[in-house]
Amino acid sequence: MKLVIQRVNIASVTINGGETRSIGRGLCVLFGAGAGDGAELIPKLAEKTAKLRIFSDGEGKMNLSALELGLEVLVVPQFTLFADTKKGNRPSFTGAAEPEFAKNAFESYCAELEKYSLKKLERGEFGAHMLVSLENDGPVTIIMDTREWQRNA
């Protein structure tokens, strides 16, 4: 699985041109599941997200997490995180997980995040057309890739 985590002042997602879900200060997380990913890493991925120390302390050092500060999180499913651009100009998405697994992985990840004392958790909708809007603070953007964890284990 792959996450793109952005520290934000505000973020929102509008689903199929209708309902908008939004958060204030916290994290905007783009979530992608890859072919061959296993669900066993989802709890660790959620814990690392909630405890990721990318918010400044009183000395201006990135020492605090969304969990410690009681901030908000918006999670958006995004299979395009697994785009392969090696050949030609049209990306291939064969590296993305099958839709059924990806949807279940997304829902499981959100359910795991809900176990933490975050102020608010909002989510996009798997398979929907979404418009994401955010104000990246810093900018701070972190990429988490479970395949990197497995290579370096």
Side-chain angles (χ1 to χ4, degrees), residues 119-133:
K119 183 177 179 182
K120 181 180 183 183
L121 177 69
E122 290 287 354
R123 61 180 82 181
E125 188 174 306
F126 191 88
H129 181 267
M130 295 172 284
L131 297 174
V132 179
S133 179

Side-chain angles (χ1 to χ4, degrees), residues 4 8 14 18 23 26 33 48 50 63-64 67 73 77 84 97 103 108 112 115 117 122 126 128-131 141 151:
V4 175
V8 298
T14 301
I23 63 163
K48 286 186 87 56
N63 247 346
L64 300 172
L67 178 60
V73 178
D84 181 352
K103 181 177 183 177
S108 294
E112 287 293 326
K115 294 178 181 178
S117 299
E122 290 287 354
F126 191 88
H129 181 267
M130 295 172 284
L131 297 174
T141 302
R151 273 189 280 255

Side-chain angles (χ1 to χ4, degrees), residues 1-3 32-38 40-41 44-45 79 81-84 93-98 101 143-153:
M1 279 156 278
K2 194 179 294 187
L3 304 181
D37 282 347
E40 71 279 356
L41 290 175
K44 181 179 178 182
L45 199 58
F79 76 94
L81 294 179
F82 284 91
D84 181 352
F93 299 105
T94 58
E98 292 295 322
F101 174 82
I143 298 172
M144 271 195 223
D145 187 338
T146 58
R147 292 172 188 199
E148 290 295 320
W149 299 352
Q150 293 168 329
R151 273 189 280 255
N152 298 323

Side-chain angles (χ1 to χ4, degrees), residues 7-12 22-26 28 74 133-136:
R7 184 177 75 183
V8 298
N9 291 324
I10 56 170
S12 65
S22 61
I23 63 163
R25 185 170 179 238
C28 180
L74 171 65
S133 179
L134 59 91
E135 182 178 282
N136 190 320

